[in-house]
Amino acid sequence: MKNFLHNGRQALLVTIVLLLICGLLFPLLLTGLSKVFFPSQAAGSLVTVDGQVVGAKNVGQEFTEDYYLWGRPSAYHYNTYVEQEDGTQTYNDGSEFAGLSSGSNNYAPSNPALTERVEADLETFLEKNPEVKEEDIPTDLLTASGSGLDPHISPDSAEIQIPRIVEASGLSEEEVREIIDRNTEGKTLGVFGEDKVNVLLVNIEIAQAMGLMPASSEE
């Protein structure tokens, strides 16, 4: 019994010490270091315009206006919804809001629902971008990411939308290209990943250039 109590006290003491170290001190240390060395990332990489948070750099949003850059398809419409007068919440396309979520439909290539969704998105894109040929549309404009919240598209996907944005926004082609170039990120360390365009940051600058938003913004 004496040995049992002794071992029990040791086990309890070790548990408490490890709980304090791993569950409190270590997270506090990491949080403190991240706030010192990576303050923006530690705060969620939030994007602020005129003192108001309008989004996060690493979380996409749904844009449907012709003068904005469009992102990738999302099964959850990037959690963008509207609330009707009766309190009903719907996505921008009128379907029922499923609640804050991330993920994809995970359709198999043989699933008719995937074909139907892609064909509908393809038809919409071609209608809004009549000068674009179907075979020239980059695949990332028709395929959803695993999270459904991807903030980036490829430079080719941004390039192909420039004529529509120019016509709808009243901005010059040079202005739109400069905005996209400023918000194009290269490969990580010049090696990993691919070049990518941040859709939210591009659209903030477009809105500012059009006078739809104040000119000051912070990341």
Side-chain angles (χ1 to χ4, degrees):
M1 178 61 69
K2 183 176 180 181
N3 287 335
F4 175 79
L5 292 176
H6 176 72
N7 292 335
R9 283 195 300 268
Q10 282 190 323
L12 180 60
L13 181 61
V14 169
T15 300
I16 293 175
V17 170
L18 290 177
L19 179 64
L20 290 174
I21 293 175
C22 300
L24 181 62
L25 296 180
F26 185 64
L28 286 176
L29 175 63
L30 288 184
T31 301
L33 290 175
S34 64
K35 285 185 176 295
V36 172
F37 295 106
F38 308 101
S40 176
Q41 293 87 338
S45 299
L46 300 179
V47 180
T48 303
V49 176
D50 197 31
Q52 181 177 355
V53 175
V54 297
K57 184 179 179 182
N58 297 316
V59 179
Q61 296 185 26
E62 184 172 57
F63 295 94
T64 57
E65 298 289 349
D66 291 349
Y67 48 78
Y68 282 140
L69 191 65
W70 294 354
R72 300 181 66 181
S74 168
Y76 297 97
H77 297 267
Y78 294 93
N79 293 314
T80 301
Y81 66 92
V82 293
E83 188 166 333
Q84 311 297 335
E85 293 182 358
D86 60 358
T88 303
Q89 297 175 337
T90 62
Y91 293 118
N92 288 330
D93 65 356
S95 58
E96 183 181 358
F97 176 57
L100 295 177
S101 306
S102 68
S104 68
N105 291 321
N106 202 29
Y107 292 139
S110 59
N111 194 317
L114 175 61
T115 302
E116 182 180 343
R117 197 274 298 163
V118 171
E119 288 179 347
D121 288 344
L122 178 62
E123 181 180 353
T124 299
F125 190 87
L126 291 174
E127 179 184 351
K128 294 292 186 176
N129 302 268
E131 70 288 337
V132 175
K133 297 179 180 179
E134 179 178 333
E135 60 269 21
D136 293 334
I137 301 177
T139 56
D140 58 307
L141 285 179
L142 297 174
T143 57
S145 68
S147 68
L149 303 175
D150 195 337
H152 302 107
I153 58 175
S154 65
D156 288 342
S157 293
E159 173 72 24
I160 206 170
Q161 299 183 61
I162 289 177
R164 185 199 73 240
I165 295 172
V166 169
E167 181 178 356
S169 67
L171 302 177
S172 69
E173 182 176 334
E174 182 181 2
E175 287 179 292
V176 175
R177 288 187 184 279
E178 288 178 352
I179 290 173
I180 291 174
D181 288 344
R182 280 197 295 271
N183 295 289
T184 298
E185 306 168 21
K187 298 178 181 180
T188 303
L189 300 178
V191 178
F192 302 106
E194 299 293 337
D195 293 346
K196 50 192 176 293
V197 180
N198 191 293
V199 176
L200 172 62
L201 298 185
V202 166
N203 288 336
I204 288 175
E205 287 203 36
I206 288 176
Q208 290 171 335
M210 293 177 63
L212 301 177
M213 296 181 71
S216 60
S217 63
E218 297 179 4
E219 296 177 29

